[in-house]
Amino acid sequence: MNWNYRIVKTYNKECKLYEYMLTEVFYHSNGSVMAYSADNNIYGESREEIIEYLEMMLKDAKKDQPILEEEDFNQAKPDYELDAGQLTDEQYNRIQEEANTSIGK
């Protein structure tokens, strides 16, 4: 499972405006976008780990990549149902568990 931080443009229906967020984006094995995380909180086991994640986020945000839009996720053909491109908590937890297993956490 590949992922990185990307800028995603979304439409806020309540405020009637477009918003940009820096969030985790997950990819299918073929490299196409799968989903993005609705939970943009930063968690870590230490202050240093939080700073490491922030630095990684900034590095990814500075990359010359196109801004993703919600339609990009709607066009993806996932292996399971997604709600408007966002992972459910259960799906996110499963991906996190797989990622932690693969990196030995």
Side-chain angles (χ1 to χ4, degrees), residues 15-104:
C15 298
K16 297 182 180 174
L17 55 82
Y18 286 98
E19 298 175 321
Y20 296 84
M21 67 177 159
L22 181 61
T23 189
E24 296 171 325
V25 172
F26 301 90
Y27 300 88
H28 291 287
S29 58
N30 66 8
S32 65
V33 294
M34 180 191 329
Y36 61 91
S37 174
D39 178 10
N40 290 311
N41 295 321
I42 301 167
Y43 302 97
E45 295 180 9
S46 67
R47 178 179 185 270
E48 291 75 21
E49 191 171 53
I50 296 287
I51 292 169
E52 182 181 324
Y53 286 135
L54 287 169
E55 289 171 343
M56 181 172 42
M57 292 171 79
L58 183 58
K59 181 181 173 188
D60 286 348
K62 287 182 175 182
K63 290 180 182 174
D64 188 23
Q65 298 180 33
I67 292 174
L68 297 172
E69 298 191 26
E70 288 177 299
E71 295 85 42
D72 296 321
F73 298 93
N74 295 334
Q75 295 172 5
K77 295 185 172 127
D79 299 333
Y80 43 81
E81 290 296 314
L82 296 176
D83 179 19
Q86 294 185 5
L87 292 171
T88 65
D89 289 341
E90 180 181 326
Q91 292 163 337
Y92 181 80
N93 289 338
R94 190 176 76 223
I95 289 169
Q96 290 292 72
E97 287 173 15
E98 290 173 10
N100 288 340
T101 301
S102 68
I103 60 173

